Amino acid sequence: MRVTLFIPCFIDSLYPQVGVAIVKILERLGHEVDYPEAQVCCGQPPFNSGYWDEARVVAERQLAVFRDAEVVVSASGSCGAMFKVFYGELFKDRPQQAEAKALGAKTFEFSEFLVNKLGVRDVGARFEGKVTFHDGCHGLRELGTKAAPRELLRAVKGLELIEMGEAESCCGFGGMFAVKFPQISTAMAEVKCNSIIDTGVETIVSNDSSCLMQIQGYINRHSPRVIKSLHLAEVLAQQ
Amino acid sequence: MSGDREPILARIAEALRAPAPRHHEPHSHENHSAASVPFREWLPPVGEDPQEQIALFARLSEMLRTEFRECGSPEDAAGHIAALAREGQWKRIALHSGDLIDSVAAKLPESLELLRIDNGYEKDAMESADAGFTECESLVAQTGSVCVTSPSSGGRVLSVFPPHHIVIASRGQMLPDLSAGYEHLAVKYQGRYPSFISFITGPSRTGDIERILVLGAHGPKRLTVLLVP
Amino acid sequence: MSSTAALPPGVQFQTDADRTTADEPRRAAVRNALGNYKAARGKTENAFASWQHAREAAAEIKYEGVNHLDRYLREFEEKFTARGGKVHWASNGAQAREYILNLAREKGVKSIVKSKAMTGEEIHLNPALEKEGYEVIESDLGELIQQLMHEPPYHFVFPCMHLKREEIGELFERELGAARTNNPEELTMIARRFLRRHFANADMGISGGNFIVAETGMISITENEGNARLTAGLPKVHVALVGIEKIVPKLSDLALLLPMLATAGTGQHLTGYNSMYGGPRQPGEIDGPDEFHVVLLDNHRTRLLADAEQRDALHCIRCGACLNVCPIFKNIGGHAYGTTYQGPIGSVITPHFRGLQDWKHLSGASSLCGACTEACPVKIDIHHHLLQNRRNAVAEKKVWWERLIWAGYTWMMKRQWAYLMAARLAPLAQKLHPLVLGTALDPMRSWTATRDFPEAAPQSFHDWWRIRKAAQK
């Protein structure tokens, strides 16, 4: 299968290793990976702030960039949700409505792609250690992603998955929310991170790097012990 | 009819000209004009068998702290009430009249004063009652509830003001679920409903203080349901 | 009370949120209370044959009612007045207050007992009554506590969930002259004894209403304590102040909605007392009020009704579930919202009720996690409405500096070279960042005050791919 990658802007510049890991895994599974270099941002930041005209400018570009893709895999649940759920809203009753729907229909979040599209749970990965999984809210509630990441993690040799009490609680990132309402965002991070610390794990895994940015940022300042975070793909890429 | 009736209705009509999207998928479209939405099958399931229903009611009563007791006869029920009266050192029970309740009241000890309120009552008298004794419309197995109404249960206050509410019901009054409870009322009253209907589920309670359950906030601290054949 | 604050609501909110998010003990108390709720609710939901299907059915019932609101309100009035009930239609709070005050005057009322009515809070009814010399006592335990505290309710289902028993013990000692105790049972008994007198002596009982039943002309009231039953049972005059949106088409609809309200609201199978009032005392009935007045309150609900996209916000049955699962609510607490209706649903409807520009910040103060929408028993699309409020606020009036930022952003995103350059400059900018870190000049200050920011990678994914592709050729 020819898999077209959607690498969100912040992964592009802050966590490129996540993209690299996804490429590695897909190629290991025998698929051709394509990456249209013209892609930039999905438009979520202005969209969430209510600036939908501005978001449309950027989204239109993405529609064009991914027009020829057979199937699109997103490295992030929240940006994947932009394609799958919110482009439909943005382009409702507009000429691009059909194209937006088509893009949504062919887009998958990474773990959903592996488990539900390819039917793969074991990618031949090995990772020693105890981890806990944080459910990114967009992936969890907009896309319904809950079981897929866990099935993938359970197949990783040497990995022990421990659920935290607050697995489904929002980490407090929420895009611009994190800087517009920093006191609330930080309070939410505190609740999340205390729950992580309580599990005793040394690694946090998530399918959303923006969440990990928030969580790791808080952990670095406040955790009594070192805890590292990895995107799900980074764990699955290890052998 | 008073106030801004016409302006409000006009605003509503104007507002409703634009149709609203649905964010849900109703499972029955056939009956939309009747606005009846079948939903009974989604609620907690209840057995068909009367014995099962009584058992469910009993289980829920335990959870709710309702004292539920199957009695062999009105005499048996009266004996239990007498025991409660001794335990609580009761002087007076307030009650209304009815065939079932009279059959039990007749067997209560002479020493227990019966305050009949069918023709009204003084507030002081109601305040002095140690217990309120009533019949009911039905019992609801699905939720462990007692359905009372003004005509069936001595008015609005009798079943809520005294600190202990005692209900006498017969087995035939056990209904499977709330839908059946409402159906029963519809059939019995033929649209001329009483001004007061209530589904009572357990004694009065509150969790307002640190979410700690406390019984007897304003209504009865104790609820006893006696079931006779 | 924050309604008299001089600061604009958006600024007041930030100030209050600063304070409440720093209140560790308070946050822990709220988290604890809501953890118990979560466990109870899980069990009760599982008892349903299908909770998800039940939500669909409940949503359809409310959809039917609200989308034919005029028809059903007319039907309610016809049935209710046929049994001697009186209906007053109030376009706004002032009209509702005036009607109730006139009624109290007419009837020579001296003492009023109230059961829970968020509509009463909404229109500031108590202050208006007290100003005219009426004694008004809240009978719901949590509402009574808040009344004595001179505070609005913290949560519209659990009014004093933020208080510890010691605080309540101290309050009762101070305000009721009660012997000091910290025991919840004893405290409840103190309130019970205090209120007994008031129930018996009150000339007027004022309640809210959970549902308006069109088919049978009834007002349905849900409670656990029994105080609403006493409010509607003992005084000579009963007034129910109800929002027009509380409509349900049929009496039998309550067989679904009441268990769902209980499950979502408190994790109970059914709330302690669900009572339907269809008029004043009827001929032949032993007791009950001589008069029953229903005040139907619009107060901007028709404005929300006209917004077809968000009309389902009027389906709300005020269960409070969205508050209970909301991480914002849990961390800032109910009072920080500064308005009658808190939490996610409050954040959706307050801009419609009180002005979009003044109250848009409540829709902004959300990470859009969607827990509210997931929890809602009637499937209101809550978190998407928050997004829509943001869009509507911008469409009405753009914030100049935000406009600038997004213009710059779109300019960059339309030009691959500009985007790639920004990505390459980021690591450099980061090296300079420590110079301003934490100071007033730090553009990342809202973040870096409490969190580390990651280092930009030396090589972006774009560059990695491009180099690999070139090497593969």
Side-chain angles (χ1 to χ4, degrees), chain A residues 170-172 177 181-194 214 218, chain C residues 17 20-22 24 27 31 327-328 330-332 450-451:
Chain A
C170 182
C171 68
F177 169 77
F181 298 94
Q183 74 285 66
I184 309 176
S185 176
T186 304
M188 290 163 70
E190 180 191 36
V191 172
K192 187 87 210 185
C193 292
N194 285 345
Q214 161 91 338
Y218 184 90
Chain C
T20 56
T21 51
E24 291 294 334
R27 284 169 63 218
R31 237 186 347 262
I328 281 79
K330 285 194 250 200
N331 284 296
I332 69 172
T450 54
R451 296 154 283 193

Side-chain angles (χ1 to χ4, degrees), chain C residues 167-182:
Chain C
E167 295 173 277
I168 298 169
E170 194 188 88
L171 178 73
F172 279 6
E173 185 184 37
R174 196 173 67 240
E175 300 285 335
L176 301 180
R180 180 64 195 268
T181 173
N182 294 335

Side-chain angles (χ1 to χ4, degrees), chain B residues 127-205:
Chain B
E127 271 184 75
S128 69
D130 297 296
F133 184 22
T134 76
E135 288 182 3
C136 66
E137 289 287 355
S138 63
L139 300 178
V140 178
Q142 184 184 56
T143 53
S145 305
V146 180
C147 180
V148 299
T149 59
S150 270
S152 71
S153 317
R156 298 189 184 195
V157 175
L158 179 59
S159 53
V160 74
F161 197 86
H164 195 140
H165 179 206
I166 305 168
V167 179
I168 183 78
S170 62
R171 287 174 73 104
Q173 288 185 282
M174 181 70 72
L175 296 177
D177 58 12
L178 276 180
S179 291
Y182 281 114
E183 266 162 24
H184 162 84
L185 293 169
V187 167
K188 177 170 173 180
Y189 291 105
Q190 293 293 306
R192 279 197 223 87
Y193 287 98
S195 72
F196 167 72
I197 302 166
S198 191
F199 287 94
I200 297 172
T201 312
S204 152
R205 65 195 59 227

Side-chain angles (χ1 to χ4, degrees), chain A residues 22-118:
Chain A
I22 292 178
V23 171
K24 204 164 148 193
I25 293 164
L26 292 174
E27 286 179 347
R28 188 199 299 161
L29 293 173
H31 300 283
E32 182 198 334
V33 178
D34 183 29
Y35 173 70
E37 293 181 50
Q39 62 184 275
V40 289
C41 176
C42 64
Q44 192 172 181
F47 177 75
N48 277 359
S49 296
Y51 288 79
W52 287 24
D53 291 332
E54 287 81 344
R56 259 184 288 267
V57 167
V58 171
E60 257 167 36
R61 188 197 163 94
Q62 296 289 69
L63 288 180
V65 166
F66 289 95
R67 188 168 290 142
D68 296 327
E70 273 171 39
V71 83
V72 177
V73 170
S74 168
S76 146
S78 71
C79 302
M82 265 318 274
F83 279 20
K84 282 194 89 69
V85 178
F86 297 112
Y87 275 15
E89 275 303 300
L90 262 185
F91 294 107
K92 192 152 78 162
D93 301 328
R94 283 165 195 265
Q96 304 91 335
Q97 181 172 321
E99 190 167 16
K101 270 187 113 167
L103 176 58
K106 69 188 181 189
T107 300
F108 294 82
E109 177 272 338
F110 175 65
S111 70
E112 291 286 340
F113 181 70
L114 288 179
V115 175
N116 294 323
K117 182 78 176 164
L118 297 182

